[in-house]
């Protein structure tokens, strides 16, 4: 289990590095470079729109790779999805700016971002299922939480590279070529991830299935459509909170509040580091107290913290912004630490890869794709404190809370040991 968990974690870290480095670039430089005829706010919105395309592609990726995972096995999904995401990320770093090739530049950017999302849509289902289906029932949340640490590591790596480049390069150098370096580095990371995954064994639970679904998506839609909608709504809060902290707030603070890029990246990275460190602990609580109670508690905490978070962000003070981000991400990980065990347990094994991944990634459309765009528009209309953003995030948290309330508990019940009768 440690070797399997480490390989799954490393792969998800690489793929989420690819995904996050685009989000950071969208917040910092892609607007002026690829949409120079727009106003600063419109350029940021356009850059976030290309960012959102990746989320729209993720459910399609979960359908494509879910079909492979339910028909051919979980392991092939990990290899193909990593190759697709890595190659498209490297290509983003090679796209000329609008000043060089005109409108073809944002079109290419859009197409490559779509391919990134397609690959990542398959990654989560394959990595999580391979780990969860190997894990012992009593520690399934713990072991399957390690792929959930991967996004935190990928984010820290992506933003660490951006932070280092911001510190050593001038604004002009960073805009001209510096932002491309993290995209080029994705190639080496993808090769390392493929090497780590080359020796993984197929899921024993998949090998036990005798009657594989011929068309997994059709079976999911026919028999589990309500479950898919509930899981999508439940997942929305995590995506909304995470991308409000890591993407929207970065653009808002640097453009509206005049906070330096280095300060913002440092505050966000520190909060993400704590969040990643707490993930296995929260998963242990999920093994002990149940998946659903943790999710309900996390959604409630998100709903209560969104207004304080935007108020702390609006101060522009590094320590206060960090505390706002930290509270939001602790509430977020209370939910997402147990999701890798919870979602697969909700679906029957023959369609598990498709069902769990589609529900998870549809939540990304609801929460991740729209949040930077909606939050930027709401903040533009408000005053110094973006209360509208707080209201929007609180509303999503309440939606997810209702969805989790309608889902059943799935934690395996420990088998009681019965002592033999004596006498």
């Amino acid at each position: 289990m440690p070797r399997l968990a480490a390989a799954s974690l490393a792969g998800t870290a690489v793929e989420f590095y690819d995904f996050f480095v685009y989000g950071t670039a969208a917040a910092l430089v892609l607007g002026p470079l690829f949409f120079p005829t727009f106003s600063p706010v419109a350029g940021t919105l356009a850059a976030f729109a290309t960012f959102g395309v990746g989320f729209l592609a993720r459910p399609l990726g979960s359908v494509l790779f879910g079909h492979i995972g339910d028909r051919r096995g979980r392991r092939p999904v990990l290899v193909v999805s990593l190759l697709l995401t890595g190659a498209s990320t490297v290509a983003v770093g090679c796209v000329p700016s609008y000043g060089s090739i005109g409108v073809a530049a944002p079109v290419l950017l859009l197409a490559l971002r779509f391919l990134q999302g397609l690959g990542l849509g398959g990654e989560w289902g394959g990595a999580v299922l391979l780990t969860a289906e190997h894990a012992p029932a009593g520690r399934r949340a713990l072991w399957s939480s390690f792929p959930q640490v991967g996004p935190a590591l990928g984010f820290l790596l992506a933003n660490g590279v951006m932070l280092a480049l911001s510190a050593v390069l001038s604004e002009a150098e960073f805009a001209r070529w510096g932002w491309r370096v993290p995209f080029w580095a994705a190639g080496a990371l993808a090769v390392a991830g493929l090497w780590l995954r080359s020796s993984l064994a197929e899921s024993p639970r998949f090998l036990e299935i005798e009657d594989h679904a011929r068309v997994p998506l059709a079976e999911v839609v026919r028999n589990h459509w309500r479950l898919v909608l509930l899981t999508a709504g439940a997942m929305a809060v995590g995506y909304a909170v995470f991308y409000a902290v890591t993407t929207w707030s970065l653009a808002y603070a640097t453009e509206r509040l005049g906070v330096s890029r280095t300060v913002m990246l440092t505050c966000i990275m520190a909060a993400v580091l704590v969040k990643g460190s707490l993930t296995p602990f929260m998963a242990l609580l999920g093994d002990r107290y149940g998946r659903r109670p943790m999710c309900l508690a996390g959604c409630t905490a998100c709903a209560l913290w969104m207004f304080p978070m935007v108020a702390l962000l609006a101060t522009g003070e590094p320590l206060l912004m960090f505390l706002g981000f930290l509270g939001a991400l602790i509430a977020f990980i209370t939910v997402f630490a147990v999701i890798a065990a919870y979602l697969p347990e909700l679906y029957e094994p023959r369609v598990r890869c498709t069902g769990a991944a589609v529900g998870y990634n549809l939540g990304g459309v609801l929460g991740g794709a729209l949040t930077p765009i909606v939050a930027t528009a709401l903040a533009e209309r408000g005053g110094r404190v973006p209360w509208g953003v707080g209201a929007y995030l609180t509303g999503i948290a309440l939606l997810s809370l209702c969805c989790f309330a309608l889902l059943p508990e799935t934690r395996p019940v420990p088998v009681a040991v019965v002592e033999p009768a004596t006498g």
Side-chain angles (χ1 to χ4, degrees):
M1 284 307 307
R3 184 173 62 86
L4 177 64
S8 295
L9 185 155
T12 52
V14 170
E15 291 222 40
F16 276 92
Y17 165 88
D18 297 348
F19 205 72
F20 290 145
V21 78
Y22 190 101
T24 305
L28 296 177
V29 296
L30 295 188
L33 289 176
F34 289 89
F35 305 96
T37 59
F38 291 18
S39 69
V41 172
T44 301
L45 284 170
F48 281 152
T50 63
F51 174 74
V53 165
F55 285 98
L56 296 176
R58 284 174 65 167
L60 298 177
S62 64
V63 171
L64 171 63
F65 289 104
H67 184 91
I68 297 171
D70 285 325
R71 293 282 298 166
R72 304 297 179 189
R74 320 315 191 195
R75 187 174 175 272
V77 171
L78 300 183
V79 175
V80 181
S81 64
L82 185 56
L83 277 172
L84 178 60
T85 308
S88 56
T89 304
V90 172
V92 169
C94 301
V95 176
S97 66
Y98 185 94
S100 300
I101 60 173
V103 73
V107 171
L108 285 172
L109 202 64
L110 200 67
L112 292 170
R113 180 61 176 174
F114 182 87
L115 293 176
Q116 267 192 327
L118 205 65
L120 194 61
E123 162 64 25
W124 186 85
V128 162
L129 259 65
L130 198 64
T131 308
E133 291 181 341
H134 272 91
R139 285 289 180 263
R140 187 174 295 138
L142 172 63
W143 287 114
S144 60
S145 73
F146 284 92
Q148 296 294 80
V149 179
L153 292 180
F155 178 86
L156 291 171
L157 185 59
N159 285 271
V161 174
M162 285 287 192
L163 184 61
L165 290 167
S166 297
V168 300
L169 298 177
S170 66
E171 291 283 343
E173 289 172 328
F174 184 81
R176 189 167 62 252
W177 60 269
W179 69 272
R180 299 180 183 274
V181 174
F183 290 90
W184 296 334
L189 293 173
V191 171
L194 288 170
W195 177 77
L196 285 169
R197 288 181 165 182
S198 61
S199 61
L200 294 182
E202 183 54 79
S203 158
R205 191 69 189 90
F206 173 80
L207 296 175
E208 292 171 1
I209 300 172
E210 296 180 356
D211 182 24
H212 295 282
R214 292 191 62 186
V215 185
L217 178 62
E219 194 165 317
V220 167
V221 172
R222 183 172 59 251
N223 300 329
H224 304 287
W225 63 268
R226 181 176 179 273
L227 183 58
V228 170
L229 293 179
L230 285 176
T231 52
M235 294 297 95
V237 62
Y239 283 102
V241 169
F242 188 83
Y243 286 102
V245 169
T246 59
T247 302
W248 167 74
S249 67
L250 180 59
Y252 175 80
T254 54
E255 294 174 5
R256 292 285 300 276
L257 304 180
V259 181
S260 77
R261 182 168 58 216
T262 301
V263 168
M264 281 305 298
L265 287 173
T266 302
C267 290
I268 295 170
M269 287 172 64
V272 171
L273 178 62
V274 177
K275 184 268 294 185
S277 302
L278 288 175
T279 303
F281 171 72
M282 294 296 187
L284 274 174
L285 295 180
D287 276 326
R288 180 165 184 175
Y289 298 109
R291 289 56 159 134
R292 186 169 172 268
M294 294 293 291
C295 293
L296 293 173
C299 288
T300 302
C302 286
L304 294 173
W305 189 247
M306 292 301 97
F307 282 109
M309 185 195 77
V310 297
L312 291 170
L313 170 63
T315 66
E317 294 294 328
L319 179 59
L320 295 179
M321 291 190 298
F322 164 73
L323 292 175
F325 299 153
L326 181 61
L329 292 183
I330 289 176
F332 154 81
I333 203 56
T334 303
V335 177
F336 267 53
V338 300
I339 284 303
Y342 194 19
L343 261 62
E345 290 169 347
L346 287 168
Y347 291 87
E348 58 181 306
R350 56 186 273 119
V351 295
R352 182 173 284 163
C353 195
T354 299
V358 169
Y360 184 86
N361 286 297
L362 280 176
V365 176
L366 294 174
L370 296 177
T371 292
I373 299 170
V374 173
T376 300
L378 290 173
E380 181 65 17
R381 298 192 187 99
R384 180 175 176 86
V385 181
W387 297 119
V389 177
Y392 170 75
L393 295 173
T394 301
I396 292 181
L398 293 174
L399 168 67
S400 294
L401 181 66
C402 293
C403 291
F404 277 120
L406 295 172
L407 288 171
E409 176 58 76
T410 61
R411 180 172 65 104
V413 178
V415 178
V417 178
V418 180
E419 295 292 338
T422 59

